[in-house]
Amino acid sequence: NKEIPLITEDIYHEHTRYCTPDRLARHAGLTPDDDDFASVGQKLATEFDELYVGLVSLETAGFYEGVQDLILNLPSSTSNEGNDGVKVAALTNACVAYAHAVLKINCPVISEGRGGTGIYDKFLSIHGADTVPLPKPQPDGLIQCCEEIKVDPKNCVYIGDSPSDAVAAKAAGMVAIGVLWGSHPLESLQQAPFDYLCKTVDDLSDLLLQR
């Protein structure tokens, strides 16, 4: 057995560029050259995802203040086929079950049984690292989302809080917008190829209105 190294904050942030199996295998002290890299990573990822998704709540995965209103106020399209508004999609390097769980817990229409159209319904395409050919920073997932919502990547913006989000967006031909209320420090985001950085949700809202 390999001795598992201490996972520092810097190591954690550095490894967020990888999908969950790769990230956990690396945290376990393995490298892609090890024969058991893929199998150990997948085993750890399955255990992690079950726990991770099960812990989703408003306390652990609630939207940042203002994000809910921003999404609900978008003149969103209600169909992949239509061109009647902004089309919204979500891509995460976590498993797709986590993405659905987070969006549903932040959607009172679903979580509280309220009537009407909620945030969850705004998302016409939802993917995780386990439902796309390659995870971020590769552009495959973003391109897949674009194909599903029938929008050219050059007409899209991708909003993220990680350097890998910027790399994926630029590789897909999108405008890359970084937000500063995530877990990555300002310096690392400034070094990433973001087109814009937003300090607050209001900054992001104003920027989206300009586009």
Side-chain angles (χ1 to χ4, degrees), residues 184-202:
H184 288 269
L186 172 61
E187 182 179 350
S188 69
L189 298 184
Q190 288 176 326
Q191 294 172 354
F194 282 111
D195 296 295
Y196 303 95
L197 290 176
C198 296
K199 293 182 178 180
T200 67
V201 176
D202 286 340

Side-chain angles (χ1 to χ4, degrees), residues 27-211:
H27 284 332
L30 299 174
T31 71
D33 293 330
D34 291 313
D35 292 338
D36 55 349
F37 180 82
S39 61
V40 169
Q42 190 55 59
K43 180 179 183 296
L44 292 174
T46 299
E47 296 175 359
F48 176 84
D49 287 342
E50 290 177 357
L51 176 63
Y52 199 42
V53 175
L55 292 175
V56 169
S57 68
L58 288 177
E59 288 70 36
T60 62
F63 284 159
Y64 287 93
E65 185 176 355
V67 169
Q68 184 177 84
D69 289 339
L70 185 155
I71 296 173
L72 288 175
N73 290 332
L74 286 174
S76 301
S77 177
T78 57
S79 167
N80 286 345
E81 302 295 336
N83 295 302
D84 55 337
V86 177
K87 293 184 177 181
V88 183
L91 173 68
T92 174
N93 263 3
C95 63
V96 70
Y98 179 76
H100 282 282
V102 170
L103 292 174
K104 286 179 178 179
I105 199 67
N106 283 280
C107 179
V109 171
I110 295 177
S111 63
E112 300 176 14
R114 299 182 188 177
T117 300
I119 287 174
Y120 185 71
D121 299 307
K122 295 276 190 178
F123 289 83
L124 303 179
S125 176
I126 302 170
H127 282 288
D130 54 340
T131 59
V132 298
L134 291 171
K136 298 176 291 183
Q138 301 302 320
D140 300 56
L142 293 177
I143 293 172
Q144 183 170 333
C145 287
C146 288
E147 291 174 348
E148 292 181 359
I149 65 176
K150 295 179 170 57
V151 177
D152 192 309
K154 69 181 181 182
N155 294 324
C156 296
V157 300
Y158 186 55
I159 303 164
D161 65 355
S162 168
S164 63
D165 294 327
V167 175
K170 300 311 294 180
M174 299 180 180
V175 170
I177 300 177
V179 296
L180 304 185
W181 54 83
S183 61
H184 288 269
L186 172 61
E187 182 179 350
S188 69
L189 298 184
Q190 288 176 326
Q191 294 172 354
F194 282 111
D195 296 295
Y196 303 95
L197 290 176
C198 296
K199 293 182 178 180
T200 67
V201 176
D202 286 340
D203 290 342
L204 175 59
S205 179
D206 291 343
L207 179 60
L208 293 177
L209 288 174
Q210 293 172 16
R211 301 197 60 82

